[in-house]
Amino acid sequence: MKTNQFSSSSSSSPSDRRIGALLRHLTAETDADRVSSVFASPTSGGTGGSVFAHLVQAPEDPILGVTVAYNKDPSPIKLNLGVGAYRTEEGKPLVLNVVRKAEQQLVNDRSRIKEYLPIVGLGEFNKLSAKLILGADSPAIRENRVTTVECLSGTGSLRVGGEFLARHYHQKTIYIPQPTWGNHPKIFTLAGLSVKTYRYYDPSTRGLNFQGLLEDLGAAPQGSIVLLHACAHNPTGVDPTLEQWEQIRKLMRSKGLMPFFDSAYQGFASGSLDTDAKPIRMFVADGGELLVAQSYAKNMGLYGERVGALSIVCKAADVAGRVESQLKLVIRPMYSNPPIHGASIVAVILRDRNLFNEWTLELKAMADRIISMRKQLFEALRSRGTPGDWTHIIKQIGMFTFTGLNPAQVAFMTKEYHIYMTSDGRISMAGLSSKTVPHLADAIHAVVTKAV
Ligand code: KET
């Protein structure tokens, strides 16, 4: 047997000795043993059926599956309004200019290396992300009460935060709005929380069911976790007003409900990063604790870089330190440590005043183009005399319009017009352009006048 670093010796530790014994045991196996064990294995080659033969075909994801179906459609007039991903007037994905510049800087810097990041990610990115969402003058940052860890975009931040709460928070129930982003219930269930809903949207007014929301949160057990969309609620495009946020805050704090903000669209609702962060900052200003998951997918167009952050605002600096130590224990066995490239791009942009300002302009331009699409679609329906009240198209906020079209109507529009959207009638306004608005308006007009 070959010697190795785990060979037992009088100076080795008990754990080294255990590993050494295990290795000896494994390598002591004879060739004959190995051959017979390979053929005895149900996973080996041969004539038997697959051990996975019982699997049923899983359905596609309700949102990402729309793109899969769209990609298969050979029609030249097809239109993908499914996934919330920004497109230009030409219908092309957009890499922001500031992102190109930041990447150039990174490439030119020969001192950059590809070592592992720490478990919590890129330190500078974490600091700047906390500042971006909580505000440069945030008392919580000043008092060192915030711990921020880089995670795999918004989804990863929600997942890590969910698992942290499941392990260490006294309440295991999270209330999510009804409706919400379809991945929320799956993320939190797999993180180990139990998921319940609170009323949020009123289909009859196509607005906020504020009364229902207050009643449901008022009836939630003391200390429950509450998932809140920081801005540009997905899929409804309906946000509380600041006055309503203040009432929500008071109610939640009076019952010790733990806010968990999902901020996937900072800057996309109003066009201003600070305005869109106001609800979160109201909850920080009262000195209470909260979690926030940030994503740079939409506002920096870094979808595939998977860059985001989880911040936990605590009441005291020493608590924040211990929270961070526990977050590391969640992250390390999940994916060890996060990727370096996306976080480096964000850090370059956030640290440089000129690049930051340029980013805010590009972000505002994306938000403005979406607002202009809302106006154009609304006008197109009005000019066609399409029955119904379509003012919600211009009232709703953010990337999506929650049209009110039902699954049968959506299916009709996909079949006859090659327009792809989620079956709940949500359309990504960011996927529209002046050229495609008439096609969508024709389809909506046809479907509502046909009584599908
Ligand atoms: N939260 C919300 C509310 C959200 O809409 C998304 C993505 C995410 C988090 C996660 O994004 P990430 O890429 O992990 O940072 N929503 C769009 C894309 C998707 O479904 O994955 C969407 O609704 O189309």
Side-chain angles (χ1 to χ4, degrees):
M1 183 192 153
K2 276 182 267 168
T3 54
N4 58 57
Q5 57 173 319
F6 296 117
S7 299
S8 63
S9 74
S10 55
S11 61
S12 63
S13 70
S15 65
D16 283 354
R17 280 196 296 277
R18 271 198 303 279
I19 296 169
L22 183 64
L23 269 178
R24 274 195 306 282
H25 172 75
L26 292 174
T27 51
E29 197 184 50
T30 65
D31 279 356
D33 288 342
R34 223 169 299 128
V35 169
S36 69
S37 70
V38 165
F39 283 109
S41 161
T43 57
S44 64
T47 53
S50 167
V51 293
F52 303 117
H54 62 288
L55 291 191
V56 294
Q57 183 71 30
E60 290 285 357
D61 180 80
I63 297 175
L64 301 184
V66 174
T67 303
V68 175
Y70 167 85
N71 286 338
K72 283 186 194 152
D73 186 338
S75 168
I77 57 158
K78 66 180 176 176
L79 186 55
N80 186 4
L81 305 177
V83 67
Y86 186 80
R87 297 284 176 268
T88 62
E89 253 301 296
E90 291 70 45
K92 297 265 171 0
L94 178 66
V95 179
L96 299 186
N97 242 320
V98 275
V99 168
R100 295 262 190 234
K101 285 187 186 171
E103 285 191 310
Q104 202 55 59
Q105 266 192 35
L106 294 171
V107 169
N108 291 345
D109 181 355
R110 302 295 297 177
S111 71
R112 284 183 55 78
I113 48 169
K114 303 283 187 189
E115 285 291 282
Y116 291 130
L117 284 180
I119 296 171
V120 295
L122 192 65
E124 188 190 11
F125 163 86
N126 290 338
K127 282 211 176 71
L128 292 166
S129 293
K131 252 171 77 177
L132 184 72
I133 195 73
L134 304 180
D137 55 352
S138 171
I141 296 178
R142 210 172 38 239
E143 293 154 16
N144 272 321
R145 297 189 281 112
V146 188
T147 176
T148 305
V149 292
E150 177 194 339
C151 295
L152 305 186
S153 214
T155 307
S157 308
L158 292 165
R159 178 66 172 77
V160 169
E163 188 165 325
F164 169 81
L165 290 170
R167 285 197 201 181
H168 301 294
Y169 185 61
H170 65 91
Q171 258 285 359
K172 309 293 179 207
T173 305
I174 185 164
Y175 283 78
I176 60 174
Q178 172 59 36
T180 191
W181 181 48
N183 220 10
H184 279 149
K186 301 172 197 169
I187 291 171
F188 293 122
T189 303
L190 286 172
L193 295 171
S194 108
V195 175
K196 292 203 167 125
T197 59
Y198 62 89
R199 277 171 286 170
Y200 188 85
Y201 179 73
D202 182 350
S204 67
T205 61
R206 293 197 174 127
L208 186 67
N209 182 353
F210 191 51
Q211 206 46 45
L213 179 151
L214 293 178
E215 279 171 27
D216 290 351
L217 295 189
Q222 192 85 13
S224 301
I225 309 154
V226 179
L227 190 279
L228 301 159
H229 293 229
C231 68
H233 182 275
N234 176 10
T236 66
V238 174
D239 285 348
T241 62
L242 284 182
E243 291 71 35
Q244 288 170 332
W245 272 117
E246 179 55 15
Q247 284 189 60
I248 296 169
R249 186 193 66 76
K250 280 198 183 124
L251 170 69
M252 286 184 57
R253 291 310 196 193
S254 75
K255 297 200 60 192
L257 302 177
M258 175 62 91
F260 192 163
F261 280 98
D262 180 356
S263 177
Y265 299 94
Q266 190 186 1
F268 256 101
S270 66
S272 152
L273 289 156
D274 286 324
T275 304
D276 287 357
K278 272 191 183 154
I280 298 174
R281 295 178 190 177
M282 284 165 62
F283 278 77
V284 176
D286 67 19
E289 304 187 300
L290 60 84
L291 290 83
V292 52
Q294 278 170 274
S295 166
Y296 290 96
K298 329 277 165 150
N299 58 13
M300 248 184 225
L302 293 175
Y303 305 89
E305 295 291 353
R306 311 308 295 144
V307 55
L310 171 72
S311 288
I312 303 188
V313 178
C314 304
K315 285 200 177 162
D318 62 322
V319 179
R322 295 199 296 278
V323 164
E324 179 164 311
S325 72
Q326 292 293 337
L327 284 171
K328 287 159 73 173
L329 299 190
V330 173
I331 294 167
R332 171 66 168 148
M334 199 188 282
Y335 53 85
S336 193
N337 48 69
I340 197 166
H341 188 67
S344 304
I345 296 171
V346 174
V348 167
I349 293 170
L350 297 187
R351 85 157 82 101
D352 181 300
R353 184 182 291 273
N354 291 332
L355 289 181
F356 183 88
N357 289 340
E358 207 177 317
W359 174 44
T360 60
L361 296 178
E362 287 193 82
L363 178 56
K364 177 87 169 56
M366 289 194 282
D368 284 348
R369 199 185 82 71
I370 293 172
I371 291 169
S372 136
M373 286 305 111
R374 291 187 181 283
K375 290 185 185 140
Q376 288 184 34
L377 179 61
F378 177 70
E379 283 307 325
L381 291 173
R382 195 156 67 177
S383 71
R384 281 163 182 73
T386 307
D389 176 4
W390 297 96
T391 49
H392 57 289
I393 294 176
I394 38 180
K395 282 192 210 137
Q396 291 174 355
I397 292 164
M399 261 197 174
F400 305 107
T401 292
F402 205 43
T403 58
L405 296 166
N406 63 40
Q409 292 174 316
V410 171
F412 174 87
M413 288 169 59
T414 305
K415 185 160 173 277
E416 302 296 328
Y417 287 83
H418 304 272
I419 295 173
Y420 290 78
M421 63 178 97
T422 53
S423 62
D424 59 2
R426 182 191 89 166
I427 58 177
S428 173
M429 300 306 286
L432 266 182
S433 71
S434 307
K435 269 178 259 134
T436 54
V437 162
H439 181 54
L440 176 61
D442 286 346
I444 294 177
H445 187 85
V447 84
V448 297
T449 51
K450 260 184 159 54
V452 178

